[in-house]
Amino acid sequence: MLTRRTHTCGSLRESDIGADVVVQGWASAVRDRGGVSFVVLRDRHGTVQITADERSPDAAREAMKGVRLEYVVQVRGEVVARYRPNADMATGAVEIIAREVEILSGTRPMPFRLDGHADAHEETRLRHRYLDLRRPELQHNLVVRHQVMLAARKALAELDFLEIETPILTRATPEGARDYLVPSRVHPGWWYALPQSPQIFKQILMVAGMDRYMQICRCFRDEDLRVDRQPEFTQIDLEVSFATQDLILELSESLIRAVWQAVLGREIGPIGRMPYAEAIARFGLDAPDLRFGMELVDLGPALAESTFPPVRSALDAGGIIRGFVLKGGATGNSRKVLDAWTAFVRNYGMGGLLWGKVAADKISGPLGKAIPEREAFLAAAGAEDGDLVLVGAGTPGTVNPGMGRLRVHVAKEKDLIPEDTFAFTWIVDFPLFERTDEGALTSVHHPFTAPMPEHVDWLGTDKVDDILSDAYDLVCNGLEMGGGSIRIHREDTQNRIFDSLGIEPAEAQDRFGWLLDALAHGAPPHGGIAFGLDRMVMLLTGAASIRDVIAFPKTTSAQCLMSGAPSGVPVADLDELHVANTKQS
């Protein structure tokens, strides 16, 4: 018969010796030594050893013999000092001598072991997520996620933020990805969109006078997935009236410091700011990992006179030559390794990788053929005997991300990144616009991002490509953890942005009329930021994948293997929604 438990499995200590207790959990280890049976019982709070020996009634000893791995068991017994303490268990100084043992449920054969790190393929673990989540590693990650949300709410409440919910069923807004669409039964032929973010709603809340808004909200984006991306994800979303960039960054740092202190007991030092152009120049990426060196170097001037075809063609086409040095890398990196790195950068559109091993009398490898003057090149690269120089040549749009990602890839392979380190920086001074292949302007962030005040007058002029935005990203360990901007609060400025983007007034009114109407009714200056909760938990736990910090994640093909979503629905349900499948499953 089920009895109310008195203690969790991980809570018992020497101070509990002599107590009569009831514990419940899963059998994570089972041993039978003839007349003595042992079970290690586990719940999310920890483990404790159960022993049935001559001190236990015959019924309890017999019941213990029937326990198998992952059976759900209830035990009543006395806490005693353990004859041989186990220092690897928090409860290792004690054990429970079983007086009553009841098997509450059994299990089918397990598809994979749960002790230690599961060695099953990830698809198998996701299909049986209810088992995967029993593992202490994943349970710890979900506990940390809970702690982050508690700490965030507490910190933001102390900063006078209000938590306000925004709609899930809304209309499409331009957030840079495809929307998930939901058909309306009541309004045939019309559709809701699931929000990619609460962007417009939180701006309208500022117009409504709500001053400081926050929300831990669900967001949805129908985009190609990767290790740190999911079709549905969670943001810690903030918006502030009468905000400057300095104020938003100050409030954000208060939040981050509170979370790191609450979860890890760690103090976060001053967080610097780095202009976007500097980040690209030094690291090739706008989310740089600052935990190690190997910064990128402009090698165009040192190779300006090179006749080597890959270099010459890149320079003649107005491209760039950039590289970095792996200290001591001239030895220990085989041609197989270098070929793998070459294949890696090709994933980012680069034509290949030039490498050179620096020796006392020469630079071997393809790079050696490209260098017109050895000493000048080594000085420019910061290389010396025994180093390996890795160089990319081509367009900025391929070389910067290719070499930037390779820098991180090599550092991980060579174990150059210090553990248990958090390197934060703000990236600021982003371009407001970028050009499409056809030459049209598009927003780097979204069309509600304000230009720097001193650049507003450049809208509609030949300096439009030089306009910087009042935007900012918080980066930690090479991950963009949060991003935001000061918003456009004047209707006339917003219309000038739309004009620069080629959005006609009628189209702007149709797509964003509700925001434009709000801005025309006394909008305060305002700005905000959104932090990726899932990425934050990844950083705090050291998880390798975002799927390890979400209870029920999707695969990289946006499927839930456990529930079978997405799935087909009956034709009758589609008829009621006035939609039809054009592709048979």
Side-chain angles (χ1 to χ4, degrees), residues 372-571:
E373 209 288 304
R374 168 190 164 88
E375 296 306 319
F377 176 83
L378 293 181
E384 56 190 6
D385 292 353
D387 293 344
L388 174 66
V389 186
L390 301 171
V391 175
T395 64
T398 58
V399 172
N400 282 325
M403 296 305 294
R405 295 293 180 193
L406 179 65
R407 168 184 174 266
V408 177
H409 181 73
V410 171
K412 288 179 178 177
E413 280 196 354
K414 299 302 178 182
D415 199 24
L416 301 178
I417 303 177
E419 296 181 358
D420 198 29
T421 300
F422 299 100
F424 290 91
T425 189
W426 288 102
I427 305 298
V428 296
D429 295 343
F430 285 88
L432 184 66
F433 300 118
E434 59 187 354
R435 295 279 180 178
T436 65
D437 292 339
E438 293 74 29
L441 290 176
T442 62
S443 296
V444 169
H445 287 86
H446 54 63
F448 316 118
T449 300
M452 286 293 190
E454 61 270 26
H455 292 174
V456 172
D457 290 340
W458 296 359
L459 289 167
T461 74
D462 57 4
K463 299 184 71 174
V464 68
D465 290 287
D466 299 324
I467 297 176
L468 299 181
S469 67
D470 205 347
Y472 32 81
D473 283 354
L474 182 61
V475 174
C476 181
N477 296 359
L479 279 179
E480 179 194 329
M481 200 170 70
S485 66
I486 300 301
R487 321 303 186 189
I488 298 166
H489 73 283
R490 292 174 59 99
E491 185 183 17
D492 57 346
T493 303
Q494 185 66 75
N495 285 330
R496 291 179 69 184
I497 293 290
F498 287 153
D499 184 62
S500 297
L501 294 170
I503 299 174
E504 298 293 334
E507 181 187 357
Q509 188 62 37
D510 178 61
R511 294 172 63 186
F512 319 116
W514 48 312
L515 175 61
L516 297 178
D517 290 345
L519 295 179
H521 286 82
H526 59 283
I529 191 168
F531 292 98
L533 175 66
D534 311 302
R535 292 185 182 184
M536 192 180 294
V537 179
M538 277 182 69
L539 286 165
L540 289 163
T541 60
S545 166
I546 203 169
R547 292 187 287 277
D548 286 341
V549 300
I550 298 172
F552 302 106
K554 305 291 191 297
T555 66
T556 52
S557 58
Q559 292 178 296
C560 175
L561 298 181
M562 184 185 71
S563 68
S567 64
V569 296
V571 173

Side-chain angles (χ1 to χ4, degrees), residues 266-305:
R266 296 275 291 270
E267 297 291 338
I268 300 298
I271 300 177
R273 303 181 190 183
M274 182 183 301
Y276 169 86
E278 180 184 339
I280 297 300
R282 294 172 58 189
F283 305 99
L285 307 168
D286 61 6
D289 194 331
L290 306 183
R291 291 175 294 173
F292 61 98
M294 293 200 316
E295 295 185 16
L296 303 190
V297 179
D298 180 8
L299 297 172
L303 297 176
E305 303 302 321

